[in-house]
Amino acid sequence: MAKKDTLDEGKSLKRKKYEKELRRLQGELCRLQAWVKYKGLRVIVVFEGRDAAGKGGTIRAITERVSPRVFRLVALPAPSDREKTQMYMQRYMQHFPGAGEIVIFDRSWYNRAGVEHVMGFCSEDQYRQFLDLCPTVERYITDAGIILIKFWLEVGQDEQQRRFEARLKDPLRHGSLVRWTSNLSASGMTIRALETGCWRPPTQNTLPGT
């Protein structure tokens, strides 16, 4: 029992330290949003990564204490029949920020380089065209004065499997489960497309439920 109590106490202290640091960083985000609003800046933050790498928890931590009028989350579903007839980037561009806004994309146009290509939702020509044109499009975005920040969240295969198994045991988290048989191929293709100017923070070690 003493050993179990020690382990529980260690977990409690670890979570307290985590929550203290989280609150400090969220305070910094509140100051950041005031600065973005005051300067009239336009910011896009793209989150990509392997399934179960922690995108959802990271985005929740970022948006928990800030104003939804400044920080806006965009997580688009599969394209409609009408959207399939449009220019590929069109459905993303309509969500781009105005002055004083930060738009967070939970998955983005990089779907074309990953899951769409691996699962056969786009042709080989469409995939190659995306790889050729994406850097140019992003250069136009930044040349227009928009700050573009891209994150790739990575997790090892063993840790990914552990997280999926934890989700299977938790009925409240079943909604976050997705098909992942082609995940390694999709991840490799996406990260190759993202390589330029992409941040890759460590996500292997996180507290359960975060």
Side-chain angles (χ1 to χ4, degrees), residues 139-158:
R139 189 161 58 249
Y140 277 122
I141 291 171
T142 55
D143 285 350
I146 295 175
I147 299 170
L148 177 61
I149 304 168
K150 299 181 289 186
F151 288 99
W152 172 266
L153 303 189
E154 179 68 46
V155 65
Q157 196 167 2
D158 290 342

Side-chain angles (χ1 to χ4, degrees), residues 99-117:
E101 292 181 347
I102 300 172
V103 174
I104 298 174
F105 280 97
D106 182 357
R107 302 285 190 184
S108 68
W109 47 92
Y110 284 99
N111 278 341
R112 173 130 303 178
V115 67
E116 287 189 18
H117 183 236

Side-chain angles (χ1 to χ4, degrees), residues 13 15 21 50 65-66 72 79 84 93 97 111 121 132 140 159 165-167 178 197 200 205 207 210:
L13 288 172
R15 179 167 289 279
E21 180 65 6
R50 291 182 64 179
R65 303 280 176 173
V66 293
R72 184 156 49 85
K84 290 177 183 178
M93 293 178 73
N111 278 341
F121 296 147
D132 289 340
Y140 277 122
E159 176 63 15
E165 290 172 353
R167 291 179 183 184
V178 295
R200 301 179 69 177
N205 299 312
L207 290 176
T210 62

